Amino acid sequence: MMADETTTEPNVRYTVHFSGRVQGVGFRYNTVVVAEEYEVAGFVQNLPDGRVLLVIEGRSTEMDRFLKALNDQMRHHINAFLLDKGPATGVFGPPGL
């Protein structure tokens, strides 16, 4: 039996903490540029401890594609990242706007 093509994947929230040389290298700018190619919504900010916080909402498959593209772009600056997944709140509006 084939999956119903009209079924949509529910939105979820990813909270990601990046560590490494992620401040002062255009990490936030590049995150925004890469995100424009995907249906995600959220924010990115520097943290006082030198990490970068990324909070995004959208379909998990789309966000996984976005995170892979971001990692491909910025991998030389990322030493590690911590990813927490949870339910979307909708606070950022619809993904992709």
Side-chain angles (χ1 to χ4, degrees), residues 11-16 18 31-32 35 38-44 53-68 70 83-93 95:
N11 287 341
V12 294
R13 175 180 279 217
Y14 284 7
T15 302
V16 189
F18 294 95
T31 300
V32 171
Y38 298 89
E39 290 187 25
V40 298
F43 70 89
V44 59
L53 170 65
L54 171 67
V55 179
I56 53 173
E57 293 187 352
R59 295 183 325 258
S60 61
T61 53
E62 186 75 355
M63 294 195 301
D64 290 343
R65 290 177 52 233
F66 161 66
L67 288 177
K68 182 186 179 321
L70 179 61
L83 170 64
D84 290 316
K85 298 179 182 181
T89 64
V91 70
F92 306 121

Side-chain angles (χ1 to χ4, degrees), residues 17-95:
H17 289 88
F18 294 95
S19 59
R21 189 164 180 259
V22 292
Q23 291 191 15
V25 294
F27 193 93
R28 289 178 299 145
Y29 172 79
N30 281 294
T31 300
V32 171
V33 169
V34 172
E36 290 174 352
E37 300 298 318
Y38 298 89
E39 290 187 25
V40 298
F43 70 89
V44 59
Q45 71 180 40
N46 287 340
L47 296 175
D49 65 4
R51 295 179 300 161
V52 169
L53 170 65
L54 171 67
V55 179
I56 53 173
E57 293 187 352
R59 295 183 325 258
S60 61
T61 53
E62 186 75 355
M63 294 195 301
D64 290 343
R65 290 177 52 233
F66 161 66
L67 288 177
K68 182 186 179 321
L70 179 61
N71 185 61
D72 289 348
Q73 177 91 18
M74 301 302 292
R75 69 180 163 268
H76 300 297
H77 301 287
I78 301 169
N79 289 342
F81 68 92
L82 176 63
L83 170 64
D84 290 316
K85 298 179 182 181
T89 64
V91 70
F92 306 121

